[in-house]
Amino acid sequence: MQVKFLLRFLILFLVLCGGLVASAQAPGILRRLPRGGMGGGGGSDSLERRSKSEDSVNISYRLLDSTFIHRFDSSLNDFSRWFPVPPTHRYLGNTGTATQSLLFEGPKQIGFDPGFHSFDAYKWRAADAQFFTTSRPYTQLGYLVGGQQEQHIEIFHTQNIRPYWNFSLRYRLINSPGFFRNQRANHNNYQVGSWYESPNKRYNNYFVLVANALQAGENGGILGSRFLDSAIFNDRFTIPTRLGGSQQFTSSLFGGGSLATANRYNEVTAIMRQQYDLGRKDSLVTDTSVIPLFYPRLRFEHTLQYKNDRFRFYDQAEEDTTYYETFYKFDPATDSVDLQDRWIELSNDFSIYQFPDAKNLQQFLKAGIQFQFLQGTTTRGTFNLYNLIGHGEYRNRTRNRKWEIGASGRLHLNGFNAGDYHAYGSLQRNVPRLGNLLIGGESINRSPSFAYDTRSSFYLDDAAKSFSKENTTHFFGSLGIEKLRLRLTGDYFLISNYLYLKNFYELQQEAALFNVLRIGASKQFRLSPRWSLYSDVWVQQKTGDAELNIPLVFTRNRLVFEGTFFRRLNLATGLEMRYHTPYEGDDYSPVLGRYFYQQGYTINNRPDMAAFFNFRIRTFRAFVRAENLNSFEWTKDPGFTGNNMGAPEYPYPGLVIRFGINWTFLN
């Protein structure tokens, strides 16, 4: 396995180097004009706004289902932009283990869903793929090291190999042995993208290939919190765990070795989208050239998607048999456990766009039909399923950019998920002397994921159960006041037939209607020309008797000293604090790879504290962080042994020092 991975990495590296050499030899790489106008994000320190110099580049990107043009943001004060675990998530004590949001989130998709989402933070999604246009070949190399030989490697390269054809390549490795036994994670992400636009601008071709190979050891938690208070176990790796037996695993740069007890998810997605436009030709004449333009009125679009996903839990440790008898009420037939679901999906989508204003591509009507074929293989058989889906969308961003209207709908007309729908609408307005106002709502009706189907290998409940469709109504709004550096948000969820997990394996549904209200505020306080306090606060409350536990308050604050020194040194250093109020947080089921509702164990943590020192010199960035400073204990033997808890019997590590670099190369 290690040899195969080394070969793949070597091939990827040679391809990247070959692309750099080819770009250096190719004369006259031209910048393709963005088709959607100059919308989109980027911070006050974006690459686009730098002065024209030897390290400048004009690079932008768009997403597959978006008309906006985005820019890179190279700001330094938020390390979470470069780290896979979002700051609003908790995890099981090691980077790469299952995560869960501390903020309530409604369902994210309708239609067919295999049901495995606890590792989504480490996945790359094809729908989020970026398609670039760049004036110069652009490469980023990132490397991060942490405690216990934790290592992250990321490589990104994009270039226009022809004036109208862009290619991009991205790779990421997360290898983290962990501070506790049997929790090593080894994740690999791959992405290849291509965007071709014909010289006459009538035809576009988008292609993206995304692969996620995730492997996370499962230790079931430590055998008791009492071990954390014993001086005998100051080396946390010696604390016994529920799963994985007594085996210990060494680490290497590329995660060599095997895991006796782990969840292993492999997902491959390939999408090819073709568009052909009918409309009016035009041109832009300059002193030195003639740039062809095209104003479409009608667009035909075809999208072909292929997915191959495998979700597997296996345990080869002979000592773990009693664990399954105790927590899952089943006795493995042998000394090992091996459960897996595999799905192959092939879908065809045909859509038609109509542009009322040919010079405003961010105003359009869209209608389409999709056919989805699914083949599943589990330990209980092979199944062929299908879905027929209709969808439509209206979007309008006015030329003066004061109004933006979005409305979309998706309905499963026939097939396995017939009756699922998602209706969405939003209105955005730039209010003079106030700020940017957004209001909207959505209604989601979705089938239970396949993990709730008795044909799934992961259906471990005692008897077959029938589950209704889950329905969620979500109203949301936000107000951004730039003068005050303030953003206010609000979300209201109204939920019926809520689906959840209980007692490690029991599938449950809450028939009663209940609601969740969440409000948030984000503000930058300028304490002085160099000192700022960035504060994010959320308050959330459930109404009703549903078995759902969420913290009342979650806050994140960063006290930062930042500025530019000696003309080229950009510095951001300070302290970061995260805190949530005590609550009965969900426990974790290793076999199902899901968090589940529990009562009786209250997570009452100290505020998470970290110190950081980040800087950038031209295209070189460096990050240094000391995390979990809150774990320091004044005892007879002082040390960082006051561990916070991520979930019941899943402690966070003590002091962790991380050092990372990110270097951009232009050719």
Side-chain angles (χ1 to χ4, degrees), residues 317-334:
E318 298 179 1
E319 303 98 313
D320 294 340
T321 303
T322 56
Y323 174 84
Y324 301 102
E325 297 174 351
T326 302
F327 295 102
Y328 293 90
K329 309 303 181 187
F330 80 88
D331 183 11
T334 65

Side-chain angles (χ1 to χ4, degrees), residues 143-427:
Y143 182 65
L144 180 145
V145 293
Q148 295 295 93
Q149 303 182 48
E150 177 183 347
Q151 300 172 86
H152 300 204
I153 298 174
E154 186 160 359
I155 302 171
F156 167 70
H157 175 73
T158 184
Q159 69 178 75
N160 283 21
I161 56 180
R162 291 289 186 273
Y164 296 93
W165 184 13
N166 178 268
F167 168 80
S168 63
L169 176 70
R170 174 170 286 164
Y171 167 75
R172 182 178 68 182
L173 164 73
I174 301 173
N175 182 41
S176 184
F179 287 78
F180 294 86
R181 199 181 279 182
N182 306 318
Q183 64 170 192
R184 191 181 75 190
N186 189 73
H187 302 328
N188 291 272
N189 309 96
Y190 311 82
Q191 180 178 302
V192 177
S194 168
W195 178 15
Y196 172 79
E197 182 182 51
S198 63
N200 63 10
K201 298 186 178 294
R202 288 179 179 268
Y203 175 76
N204 277 272
N205 184 293
Y206 302 89
F207 174 79
V208 60
L209 174 67
V210 175
N212 300 297
L214 311 181
Q215 183 178 214
E218 300 288 0
N219 64 15
I222 62 176
L223 287 182
S225 300
R226 65 186 184 278
F227 291 101
L228 299 173
D229 301 324
S230 173
I232 300 175
F233 297 98
N234 280 345
D235 180 0
R236 298 314 201 193
F237 204 80
T238 62
I239 295 178
T241 58
R242 291 173 174 171
L243 282 175
S246 58
Q247 298 188 42
Q248 300 182 18
F249 301 95
T250 58
S251 64
S252 67
L253 177 62
F254 298 106
S258 60
L259 300 177
T261 307
N263 271 301
R264 190 167 188 170
Y265 299 164
N266 292 280
E267 303 178 359
V268 178
T269 303
I271 296 178
M272 185 177 70
R273 172 169 293 177
Q274 301 180 84
Q275 297 174 339
Y276 187 81
D277 295 344
L278 301 177
R280 179 173 60 88
K281 294 191 298 183
D282 203 343
S283 61
L284 177 65
V285 181
T286 67
D287 294 337
T288 59
S289 63
V290 177
I291 301 175
L293 301 175
F294 186 78
Y295 299 105
R297 299 306 299 267
L298 197 64
R299 172 176 294 169
F300 299 97
E301 177 183 274
H302 174 252
T303 303
L304 179 66
Q305 176 173 287
Y306 170 81
K307 294 184 67 177
N308 192 330
D309 301 337
R310 186 175 72 166
F311 307 96
R312 182 187 181 198
F313 172 83
Y314 61 91
D315 185 353
Q316 300 169 344
E318 298 179 1
E319 303 98 313
D320 294 340
T321 303
T322 56
Y323 174 84
Y324 301 102
E325 297 174 351
T326 302
F327 295 102
Y328 293 90
K329 309 303 181 187
F330 80 88
D331 183 11
T334 65
D335 291 333
S336 63
V337 177
D338 194 341
L339 304 175
Q340 56 182 307
D341 283 2
R342 182 170 182 174
W343 290 96
I344 296 176
E345 174 190 334
L346 183 64
S347 65
N348 270 283
D349 187 294
F350 181 76
S351 301
I352 300 177
Y353 295 72
Q354 199 275 325
F355 298 91
D357 184 351
K359 294 186 178 182
N360 182 10
L361 297 187
Q362 297 184 42
Q363 179 185 7
F364 62 82
L365 285 164
K366 175 184 176 182
I369 192 79
Q370 177 184 354
F371 180 79
Q372 179 187 53
F373 172 76
L374 298 155
Q375 183 180 78
T377 302
T378 74
T379 55
R380 293 164 181 168
T382 299
F383 318 100
N384 293 321
L385 311 172
Y386 79 94
N387 282 305
L388 183 64
I389 307 159
H391 57 88
E393 182 177 0
Y394 172 72
R395 190 176 299 174
N396 183 12
R397 191 184 192 196
T398 58
R399 290 193 187 184
N400 59 16
R401 301 186 182 180
K402 289 186 177 181
W403 290 93
E404 183 177 337
I405 303 171
S408 64
R410 189 174 180 87
L411 173 64
H412 282 63
L413 302 170
N414 201 352
F416 181 68
N417 301 108
D420 283 19
Y421 65 81
H422 180 199
Y424 172 91
S426 67
L427 177 65

